[in-house]
Amino acid sequence: MNNSDKNRSEKVKSYLYKNIEFSPGENEEVQNHISRKINPIYYTVLASAAAIFLILSISFLKGTNVGPENERAEVGSGNEGDILPVELSDIAHMNIGSEMPRLLYGDDYITVIQGTFGVIVYNMQDSTVSNRISYEHMKSYDISMIVAAVSQDGTKIYIGNDDMSFADEIPFTYQYHIRSRVIEGITEQPSDVFIPNSMEQPGHNEQYEKDLDLEYLMSDQMVELEDSFIFLRSIDWNMKNLQIVSFPYGDGKSIVFDVFQ
């Protein structure tokens, strides 16, 4: 508004003030009418502001929410209580190495395997890798060469460091909880370590050799269950072709799981 408009506005207000009078009743009615006009706008603006505030609050809470996969800001930082992530993108390009991965544990639900990828847990119900302890993860725990074992109930993985000292026994210094993916230090050595059976080499066991495809690379370990046994195999030295085989005793068809496909 320019100066001339302001002057005209002031003159109009002055004229109305001097020449128009309202009785007390009329003045109250005018005020009520103005209030009725203003209140809807006022409440609309207030409601809009409250809605915007609520949306921003929810967005903030979602951004800072802590779930089971990212329960701590630093994952695998070398602190007890860390949750180790499950990252598998590098495994597809790995070679098996000088020997087949080791079968550490198996039951009707999971299989625990150690190899150049570290240690993984394969869930046979969901046909997926549910857990991984990689060598990269364990560097922050001062473990360069993983030595692993599994509890007899299949709920924990015990981890130690092979420092190439050729000691008779390598102590376990950490335990990893499979269900929660949490790793923590231990001071006492576990007494409930699961020990898999040895897989007899070709020519030693006719019970299963007659049905096994001996063209595959096979693990040195197997786990015997009630009516079957579990072992590892691969058609070549590519890690992506690693398989878990559940082989039945007697009649029946074996079940094959592609670990990384």
Side-chain angles (χ1 to χ4, degrees):
M1 182 181 292
N2 54 37
N3 291 331
S4 61
D5 291 336
K6 288 182 180 180
N7 291 332
R8 283 194 294 270
S9 176
E10 291 297 331
K11 290 179 180 180
V12 169
K13 289 180 181 179
S14 177
Y15 177 82
L16 293 174
Y17 180 78
K18 292 178 179 179
N19 296 279
I20 298 177
E21 294 183 0
F22 293 100
S23 66
E26 291 172 334
N27 184 61
E28 184 178 354
E29 185 176 350
V30 170
Q31 293 297 329
N32 290 337
H33 179 74
I34 294 173
S35 297
R36 285 194 297 270
K37 291 290 186 181
I38 293 176
N39 283 343
I41 299 174
Y42 171 80
Y43 288 118
T44 300
V45 173
L46 182 62
S48 300
I52 293 171
F53 177 81
L54 181 61
I55 292 171
L56 293 175
S57 299
I58 292 173
S59 300
F60 175 79
L61 291 174
K62 284 184 177 180
T64 57
N65 189 34
V66 176
E69 294 81 10
N70 57 350
E71 196 169 61
R72 292 165 181 82
E74 295 185 10
V75 179
S77 61
N79 299 320
E80 291 187 25
D82 279 341
I83 295 178
L84 301 188
V86 183
E87 172 57 48
L88 306 175
S89 60
D90 58 322
I91 295 179
H93 308 290
M94 288 184 178
N95 290 322
I96 285 178
S98 59
E99 60 181 14
M100 278 288 289
R102 294 177 55 82
L103 180 61
L104 302 180
Y105 176 86
D107 57 29
D108 292 326
Y109 303 98
I110 66 169
T111 302
V112 183
I113 307 168
Q114 181 176 0
T116 54
F117 44 73
V119 181
I120 63 165
V121 179
Y122 187 85
N123 188 316
M124 292 187 289
Q125 303 298 309
D126 298 332
S127 298
T128 185
V129 176
S130 59
N131 305 69
R132 183 186 181 189
I133 305 170
S134 72
Y135 285 95
E136 191 66 29
H137 293 154
M138 298 313 298
K139 284 181 181 179
S140 56
Y141 296 88
D142 295 326
I143 291 181
S144 57
M145 186 62 67
I146 296 175
V147 175
V150 183
S151 61
Q152 292 179 2
D153 61 2
T155 62
K156 296 184 290 291
I157 299 173
Y158 303 115
I159 305 169
N161 183 45
D162 186 356
D163 58 3
M164 305 302 290
S165 62
F166 302 102
D168 293 336
E169 292 187 4
I170 298 175
F172 296 111
T173 52
Y174 292 93
Q175 66 180 9
Y176 171 85
H177 296 271
I178 292 176
R179 184 173 183 179
S180 64
R181 301 177 186 162
V182 170
I183 187 170
E184 59 186 8
I186 56 175
T187 56
E188 296 182 2
Q189 294 304 294
S191 59
D192 61 339
V193 173
F194 179 85
I195 300 176
N197 301 98
S198 296
M199 184 85 166
E200 296 184 19
Q201 296 304 307
H204 291 81
N205 195 322
E206 295 182 359
Q207 181 179 5
Y208 59 80
E209 275 182 24
K210 59 184 177 66
D211 294 318
L212 290 180
D213 189 342
L214 300 180
E215 293 183 0
Y216 282 84
L217 302 169
M218 290 188 292
S219 60
D220 294 332
Q221 306 80 30
M222 70 175 186
V223 174
E224 293 188 278
L225 303 178
E226 184 176 350
D227 54 1
S228 63
F229 65 92
I230 299 171
F231 66 96
L232 305 176
R233 75 179 187 184
S234 178
I235 193 63
D236 55 28
W237 294 99
N238 292 313
M239 191 65 77
K240 64 181 180 180
N241 294 325
L242 183 66
Q243 294 178 326
I244 300 168
V245 181
S246 177
F247 198 90
Y249 290 119
D251 297 332
K253 187 177 180 181
S254 60
I255 302 173
V256 180
F257 301 91
D258 293 307
V259 179
F260 299 118
Q261 294 183 17

